[in-house]
Amino acid sequence: MKKISFYAMLVLMLVMLAACGQASDTNETASGTSETTPAASEQPAETDTTETDTTETDSTEGETRTVTYLGEEYTLPANVEKIVVTGAMEAMEDALVLDVPLTGAIEVGGEFPERYASITEGATSIGAKQEPNFETILSLKPDVILGTTKFKPEVVEQLKKIAPLIQVSHISTDWEANLNLMGELSGKQDEAAKVIEDYKAEAEAAKAELGTKLEGKKVMAIRIRGGEMYVYPQDVFFNPVLYTDLGLTVPDAVAAAKAQELITVEQFAEINPDYVFLQFADAENADKLTALEDIQNNPIIQKTNAFKDGHVYTNIIDPLSEGGPAWSRTNFLTAAVAELKK
C-alpha cells in the first residue's frame, strides 16, 4: 500500500508539473501575439490601400464616354489625351483655333505648315492629307483618330482597327459641329462656344455694314490648283461666308457646281464676276508655279469687271486654308469685308 501511495503521489506531481509547463508556453505565445498584432494590422491596411488605388486607376483607364457628332454616337476613352488627325484639314484648323496639341498630324510638302507650329510642336507626321501611314498611327496609340469623310472605305476600315475613328465633315456648313467636337474632345467646350458666338455677331454686323452696296454684284471665291481655276458649291470653301452669312447673290456657276468644278478662261469671262477672291498655294501648283501670274496676265481675263476695276484679292488669308472651318471662316470674314466695303 505504501508503494502504491508513493507511485500515485509521483504520478500526480508529474501531471501538475506538465500542466504548469503548458500554461507557461501558452502565456508566452499569447504575449508574443499581443506584441505583433499591431504590426500585422498595419500591414493588411497598407495592402488594401494599394489594391484600392490600383483598382481605381485601372477603372479610370478603362472608363469610356459616348460622344455624339452629326447624329452618330462614338465610344471613346473617358480622358482623350492623344488625338491623331489624318485627312481632315478641318480638324487641324479647329485644333489651331482652340490651341489643342496633336499627337499625330498631317504634313504638307513633307512638313507641317508653319501656321500649325503651336499645335504640332510635339506631334509626329502621319503622312500627307490622303496618304495616312497606318504603321505610324498605330505606334502612336491614339485615343481617337479624326479622319475625313473623303476617305475611301478601305482606308476607313484600316483606321478603325487602330482606334476609334470619327470622320470629320468637309462640308463648310458643318463647321459648328466640327468645332464643338474638338471642344468636347479637348475639354474646351466653352472656348468653342465663344468662337461661334463671336463669329455670328461679327457676320451680322458686317452684313449690316455692307447693306445694299453689293446688290446685283457677282462675288466669287476661286482656288487655283494644278494651274487651273476651280469653283465650289455654295456650301463649300468660302462660299457660305459670302452667300449665307453676308447674304450676297449666288452666281449661276456656283449654284450649278456639284463638287470642285474646273472653269476655263472662257467660262470665267462669260461669268464676268465683279469681285474675285483668289487662293493660290505653291504646294498645290508645284508643276505650274507661274499659274497665278499667267491667269492675271491673260488678256481675256483682264477684260472682266473684277480685273478692270481692281477688285481681285489674292491670298487675303493663308492660301492653304480650307475655307469652311472656324479658323478660315473668321479670318476670311474679317479680311473680305475689309475689301468689299471700300
Side-chain angles (χ1 to χ4, degrees):
M1 290 297 294
K2 289 181 179 181
K3 288 182 177 181
I4 293 172
S5 297
F6 172 77
Y7 286 123
M9 290 282 294
L10 182 61
V11 169
L12 181 61
M13 290 177 65
L14 290 173
V15 169
M16 291 178 65
L17 287 172
C20 290
Q22 184 175 3
S24 175
D25 290 343
T26 301
N27 287 338
E28 288 176 4
T29 302
S31 175
T33 301
S34 176
E35 291 175 0
T36 58
T37 296
S41 298
E42 291 172 8
Q43 185 63 33
E46 292 176 358
T47 302
D48 289 345
T49 301
T50 303
E51 289 176 356
T52 301
D53 290 343
T54 301
T55 301
E56 289 179 355
T57 301
D58 291 342
S59 174
T60 301
E61 291 179 353
E63 288 181 357
T64 61
R65 58 171 165 151
T66 299
V67 172
T68 302
Y69 168 68
L70 294 179
E72 296 289 332
E73 292 187 346
Y74 301 88
T75 300
L76 307 176
N79 296 317
V80 174
E81 297 179 349
K82 294 183 177 182
I83 300 175
V84 167
V85 176
T86 174
M89 296 304 295
E90 295 80 6
M92 292 279 289
E93 289 199 16
D94 288 339
L96 182 61
V97 169
L98 298 179
D99 193 26
V100 178
L102 300 177
T103 298
I106 304 166
E107 66 177 41
V108 178
E111 60 184 7
F112 296 132
E114 180 61 30
R115 68 180 172 127
Y116 294 117
S118 62
I119 61 171
T120 58
E121 183 178 358
T124 298
S125 169
I126 51 74
K129 185 175 179 179
Q130 295 296 332
E131 300 173 355
N133 187 313
F134 300 120
E135 291 185 1
T136 300
I137 296 174
L138 178 63
S139 70
L140 296 176
K141 299 179 180 179
D143 294 316
V144 64
I145 299 172
L146 299 180
T148 176
T149 46
K150 295 180 180 180
F151 273 153
K152 295 179 180 180
E154 55 268 29
V155 175
V156 172
E157 290 306 311
Q158 286 293 329
L159 292 173
K160 284 183 176 180
K161 293 177 182 178
I162 299 174
L165 170 68
I166 301 178
Q167 290 179 263
V168 178
S169 173
H170 68 282
I171 304 299
S172 294
T173 49
D174 290 329
W175 74 280
E176 290 182 56
N178 290 353
L179 187 64
N180 283 327
L181 171 64
M182 184 62 72
E184 185 166 359
L185 294 178
S186 61
K188 294 188 174 184
Q189 297 95 324
D190 292 343
E191 291 92 329
K194 183 68 164 54
V195 171
I196 294 171
E197 180 183 356
D198 289 349
Y199 172 79
K200 290 182 175 180
E202 183 180 353
E204 186 175 351
K207 183 177 181 180
E209 183 177 9
L210 289 175
T212 60
K213 180 179 185 297
L214 299 174
E215 188 173 340
K217 300 294 184 179
K218 296 178 184 177
V219 182
M220 296 183 68
I222 294 176
R223 174 177 274 160
I224 302 173
R225 282 179 164 173
E228 304 288 354
M229 294 184 291
Y230 291 91
V231 296
Y232 297 83
Q234 63 188 75
D235 61 350
V236 179
F237 197 37
F238 295 127
N239 292 343
V241 178
L242 296 173
Y243 310 128
T244 301
D245 300 336
L246 295 180
L248 304 181
T249 302
V250 182
D252 293 340
V254 172
K258 302 300 180 185
Q260 176 177 273
E261 301 279 353
L262 184 150
I263 60 170
T264 64
V265 169
E266 291 73 22
Q267 288 172 322
F268 181 88
E270 185 178 351
I271 297 169
N272 194 20
D274 298 290
Y275 295 83
V276 173
F277 294 96
L278 283 177
Q279 291 291 99
F280 176 90
D282 289 347
E284 296 183 325
N285 296 274
D287 296 331
K288 295 185 179 181
L289 293 176
T290 62
L292 175 61
E293 184 179 347
D294 293 342
I295 290 171
Q296 291 172 329
N297 293 332
N298 186 290
I300 297 177
I301 287 182
Q302 286 182 338
K303 293 178 182 179
T304 59
N305 292 339
F307 278 81
K308 286 191 303 182
D309 298 337
H311 293 157
V312 178
Y313 314 106
T314 304
N315 293 342
I316 61 170
I317 66 171
D318 191 292
L320 289 175
S321 301
E322 287 301 295
W327 190 94
S328 292
R329 187 175 290 258
T330 54
N331 284 277
F332 179 75
L333 176 67
T334 301
V337 170
E339 299 295 345
L340 293 173
K341 70 182 182 180
K342 290 180 179 177

